[in-house]
Amino acid sequence: MHKWAGIAAAAALALGAAGQAVAAQPSEKQVRELFEVMHMDRMFGQMNTQMVTVMGQAVPCVPASYWQGFIDASGSRQLLDQMVPIYQRHFTAQDVAGLLKFYRSPLGQKVITQMPVTMAEGMKVGQAWGRERGQAMIRQLQQKGTLDANGQCPASPAAAKPAVPVPGSGH
């Protein structure tokens, strides 16, 4: 009986060690190759363009040209340097090899080119949906009396009462 328990424990250790070998962390080189295949530098450029639009609307007194270089070549390198360890923590070497294979395929290349467009369209839909949903919920709260006509919390009776002077405070 003890012999079988020892064999089972040894097998479990062997399987655990094999599992660790399979789940090896990807190398920095492998992750950077993935970034290259995914055209991350191009994605950063697209992010920068979107940010220029957003910042131009948020801070109209600042010329758009100021924001153009937010993610320049140096910023792109810095950002990628910080992303390498994140990919190493969340993906195994086998995962990255699979991603490389996928992103090198015609479908993977289509995903790379179409994802920014689909995400931008999805964001617009999500913003419109969120705005409509929020307005509907506010109307519902107004109908229940939880919010006033201006969408604010009505003054509570306790807030309308004058403050009671605290003894010794001089009031």
Side-chain angles (χ1 to χ4, degrees):
M1 178 95 161
H2 291 298
K3 180 179 176 182
W4 290 112
I7 292 172
L13 284 173
L15 288 174
Q20 287 177 354
V22 171
Q25 184 181 53
S27 68
E28 179 177 343
K29 181 182 177 193
Q30 191 181 23
V31 172
R32 288 188 183 278
E33 185 179 351
L34 177 62
F35 291 166
E36 191 175 313
V37 169
M38 292 174 64
H39 306 290
M40 291 286 261
D41 55 343
R42 222 182 293 157
M43 283 188 220
F44 290 160
Q46 291 167 340
M47 285 171 41
N48 195 69
T49 301
Q50 291 172 354
M51 204 232 21
V52 167
T53 303
V54 169
M55 293 309 292
Q57 293 169 352
V59 193
C61 62
V62 178
S65 60
Y66 178 79
W67 305 109
Q68 286 294 340
F70 184 78
I71 304 179
D72 58 7
S74 172
S76 181
R77 276 191 306 277
Q78 291 171 355
L79 192 50
L80 287 173
D81 287 348
Q82 292 179 25
M83 290 176 65
V84 167
I86 294 169
Y87 274 68
Q88 288 176 314
R89 274 194 307 275
H90 294 279
F91 296 99
T92 65
Q94 188 175 0
D95 293 338
V96 174
L99 288 168
L100 283 164
K101 183 177 180 180
F102 170 73
Y103 283 120
R104 286 182 174 133
S105 74
L107 177 58
Q109 288 299 299
K110 182 175 183 174
V111 168
I112 289 168
T113 60
Q114 296 303 308
M115 193 56 67
V117 176
T118 57
M119 293 299 290
E121 289 178 24
M123 283 178 57
K124 286 180 184 176
V125 168
Q127 288 170 345
W129 176 86
R131 197 171 24 259
E132 291 169 13
R133 178 78 173 127
Q135 290 169 352
M137 292 178 82
I138 287 174
R139 282 192 302 273
Q140 194 176 47
L141 289 168
Q142 288 170 327
Q143 289 171 353
K144 289 181 179 180
T146 305
L147 296 177
D148 65 18
N150 297 320
Q152 303 293 317
C153 292
S156 67
K161 293 181 185 176
V164 178
V166 177
S169 67
H171 290 86

